Amino acid sequence: MESVLQSKSLIQRAYWLVHLRWVAVAVLVCATFLASETLKVSLAVSALYTVAAAVAVYNFVLFDLLRYLVERAEHPSLRMLSRIITFQIGADFVILTVILHYSGGIENPFFFSFIFHVVIASTILSTLQSYLAATFAVAVFGTLTLLESFGVLAHYELVPFVSVDFFANRFYVLGTLFVFSATLYLVVYMTTSIMKQLRRQQEGFELVNLQLKQKDYYKNEYILRLTHDIKGHLAAIDGCLNVVREKIVGPLNDKQMDLIERGHNRAVKCLAFVNALLKLTRMKLTGRLDMELFSLKRSIFNAFAAAENGAKAKNLEYAYEMDTAVDTVYGESTLIEETITNMLLNSVKYTPAGGIVKLSVKDAKDHILIQISDSGIGIPPDETEKIFEEFYRAANARKVERDGTGLGLSIAKQVVTRHHGKIWAQNNPEGGSTFSFTIPKDLQSHPEAGTVR
Ligand code: ADP
């Protein structure tokens, strides 16, 4: 897990360097054009444009290589990724030195842009590697200036920008190189110190996050055991009440029957609550779902039929529409069916008699969109997200229906999230609300299908 995260972050950094290089190529072309055409500086224009073109080609090849490694090759190793990054940083120092060579060498104040490169290197590499990178920068730039100073390499003058031959003055060259090296090492020291602090803080956050996850896991395990035990006792109590209710142990008078009936109703509600809590907790504890290709069409029919009696009893207009293209999807059939059933039951529950409840299933480009809309009580405006929280029930819903677990939509959210879909609710302009969720179509090819993304 840690190496996957590390490799993701190295891949990001490698791409970041590629993006920065595109900016650098654009800056080089614009600066060369402006300096030569507007300021009339005597630059080796064609050499600089050639360097820009070569860097663009190199960057394109590098970008393609990275894309190949990330998309097609199996997990590029950490070693390979850090080699690519180190190579890029080293190559950038050489490229910068070549650009400086064709644009005045030590007389070009842009040699200070080595500092940017060293800062970037220090944020990516280890402390030792950062010092080595700075040393490499000093070595390549120092070699260039000394070779130009000793006449081994040609010197391109920046006339009329610089009219004195600073490059030939050994004291100036050595003095500048000394300040240059000291600055680079100081920059490495400062940047790596800041990076160390940041990394320490990040490690701290990650540890706290891990501890919280562990605590959450223990809490869920505790709830699971507790609810499991309570469920056993409740089922036993309801079993005894049923024996009495069905008069197996003898006749009951009206008062006794009424009390037993009330006890039984409470036990049934309590069992429904405990079952919902058990389901939610189990889902949180176990990472994966049992995914398979299944007929969504059949699940839609089943769910629709499950809420039909309730809708009829309230004399609701109850209908569904489904795109003909909707057929099989990849997912956990029972959970998807239960989710649709729950939402339909909610709509039936929260819609006054004579209202409308409609189910629609659409085949969108890369997902299936399932929507349940009703003409019911609606959701208080700022609570459309809160209703997906565990145990949350809006005040208007509590007035209509005293009993409710507040867990149905939390379970639905867990189910949809595990299918990597989205779930949301909104109020209709004409009254009532619409509950929607999506199931992606490419789930089967997704390596993390069935787990939380
Ligand atoms: P329950 O229905 O048992 O309260 P749910 O988790 O299914 O629990 O729903 C949570 C809350 O979302 C409900 O209490 C209600 O406030 C709101 N809600 C759900 N469905 C609807 C609906 N069709 N119309 C209006 N409000 C709804």
Side-chain angles (χ1 to χ4, degrees):
M1 181 69 189
E2 196 186 349
S3 76
V4 172
L5 284 180
Q6 273 179 313
S7 100
K8 268 189 184 163
S9 116
L10 283 183
I11 290 168
Q12 274 173 0
R13 290 172 196 192
Y15 272 123
W16 184 54
L17 287 177
V18 171
H19 289 314
L20 285 181
R21 208 169 293 111
W22 287 127
V23 177
V25 170
V27 169
L28 174 61
V29 172
C30 294
T32 307
F33 182 80
L34 276 177
S36 60
E37 299 300 319
T38 318
L39 303 173
K40 303 290 180 209
V41 180
S42 64
L43 289 175
V45 176
S46 46
L48 286 172
Y49 284 142
T50 311
V51 173
V55 175
V57 172
Y58 153 72
N59 211 28
F60 190 75
V61 171
L62 205 65
F63 177 70
D64 227 36
L65 172 76
L66 277 173
R67 217 175 39 180
Y68 171 79
L69 285 175
V70 174
E71 286 174 15
R72 305 223 198 112
E74 303 256 306
H75 298 298
S77 67
L78 289 179
R79 211 161 158 207
M80 183 190 283
L81 285 169
S82 48
R83 272 190 189 162
I84 291 176
I85 289 177
T86 316
F87 171 77
Q88 286 194 73
I89 289 172
D92 284 343
F93 286 139
V94 175
I95 292 166
L96 183 56
T97 308
V98 173
I99 294 169
L100 287 171
H101 170 56
Y102 287 114
S103 56
I106 203 161
E107 289 163 7
N108 185 344
F110 271 103
F111 74 79
F112 273 110
S113 52
F114 268 105
I115 292 178
F116 298 131
H117 283 68
V118 168
V119 170
I120 292 170
S122 308
T123 58
I124 295 178
L125 304 175
S126 69
T127 307
L128 177 65
Q129 284 173 327
S130 305
Y131 278 109
L132 287 177
T135 308
F136 183 63
V138 170
V140 278
F141 184 61
T143 308
L144 170 79
T145 50
L146 290 175
L147 288 180
E148 281 189 14
S149 186
F150 282 96
V152 182
L153 270 182
H155 172 72
Y156 295 86
E157 292 184 349
L158 285 180
V159 180
F161 190 59
V162 180
S163 44
V164 184
D165 280 344
F166 286 119
F167 81 98
N169 182 331
R170 308 271 151 76
F171 281 117
Y172 175 79
V173 169
L174 289 176
T176 307
L177 279 181
F178 174 75
V179 176
F180 174 73
S181 323
T183 309
L184 288 197
Y185 288 124
L186 197 66
V187 164
V188 171
Y189 173 74
M190 282 164 56
T191 316
T192 49
S193 306
I194 295 170
M195 285 309 292
K196 259 187 217 156
Q197 276 180 19
L198 287 177
R199 282 193 193 120
R200 231 175 277 141
Q201 272 179 2
Q202 194 182 349
E203 277 166 18
F205 289 140
E206 276 164 13
L207 189 70
V208 171
N209 199 12
L210 196 73
Q211 284 169 343
L212 283 176
K213 274 189 184 160
Q214 256 170 1
K215 278 191 181 154
D216 202 45
Y217 181 84
Y218 292 138
K219 182 203 80 185
N220 282 328
E221 255 198 350
Y222 176 75
I223 294 177
L224 190 73
R225 281 191 201 162
L226 201 72
T227 38
H228 199 268
D229 272 6
I230 294 175
K231 184 182 165 181
H233 293 307
L234 273 175
I237 293 169
D238 196 40
C240 296
L241 289 175
N242 277 335
V243 172
V244 182
R245 256 176 86 230
E246 281 156 24
K247 300 177 184 156
I248 295 169
V249 285
L252 298 173
N253 62 34
D254 286 352
K255 184 74 189 158
Q256 287 166 333
M257 192 64 188
D258 180 46
L259 286 171
I260 292 293
E261 203 57 57
R262 279 204 237 168
H264 163 72
N265 285 342
R266 285 295 171 102
V268 167
K269 278 177 189 160
C270 211
L271 261 173
F273 175 76
V274 166
N275 276 331
L277 194 56
L278 256 180
K279 177 179 278 178
L280 185 65
T281 316
R282 268 203 198 110
M283 219 181 285
K284 283 183 184 172
L285 277 172
T286 56
R288 297 190 69 84
L289 303 178
D290 289 328
M291 310 282 262
E292 56 175 353
L293 264 181
F294 71 95
S295 164
L296 180 64
K297 233 183 206 174
R298 192 168 326 126
S299 294
I300 298 284
F301 293 147
N302 291 345
F304 189 79
E308 199 162 17
N309 281 345
K312 271 188 192 153
K314 287 177 91 173
N315 201 21
L316 301 177
E317 185 186 327
Y318 186 64
Y320 74 85
E321 58 175 27
M322 182 164 22
D323 277 355
T324 43
V326 172
D327 192 11
T328 55
V329 292
Y330 190 69
E332 218 206 273
S333 55
T334 26
L335 289 180
I336 299 266
E337 191 175 313
E338 273 174 21
T339 302
I340 304 168
T341 310
N342 257 332
M343 288 179 161
L344 280 169
L345 287 172
N346 269 352
S347 282
V348 169
K349 184 163 69 177
Y350 296 118
T351 301
I356 307 168
V357 171
K358 282 196 172 148
L359 165 66
S360 121
V361 187
K362 290 196 182 107
D363 190 329
K365 213 169 57 180
D366 53 357
H367 61 264
I368 307 279
L369 173 66
I370 297 163
Q371 292 185 296
I372 293 106
S373 56
D374 60 51
S375 61
I377 58 168
I379 308 153
D382 359 310
E383 295 177 31
T384 47
E385 286 186 17
K386 278 193 182 154
I387 54 171
F388 292 96
E389 288 172 14
E390 286 161 39
F391 307 112
Y392 193 86
R393 303 196 67 219
N396 62 343
R398 271 186 263 128
K399 266 188 210 154
V400 175
E401 183 73 39
R402 208 162 50 94
D403 300 308
T405 60
L407 287 174
L409 287 182
S410 321
I411 295 175
K413 191 172 174 179
Q414 281 283 332
V415 171
V416 175
T417 314
R418 267 151 215 270
H419 284 83
H420 302 297
K422 290 193 184 100
I423 185 164
W424 69 99
Q426 55 201 145
N427 284 318
N428 307 324
E430 67 278 12
S433 43
T434 299
F435 286 77
S436 316
F437 73 93
T438 60
I439 310 172
K441 283 189 193 165
D442 68 343
L443 254 189
Q444 199 167 7
S445 58
H446 200 290
E448 289 171 37
T451 57
V452 179
R453 216 176 242 169

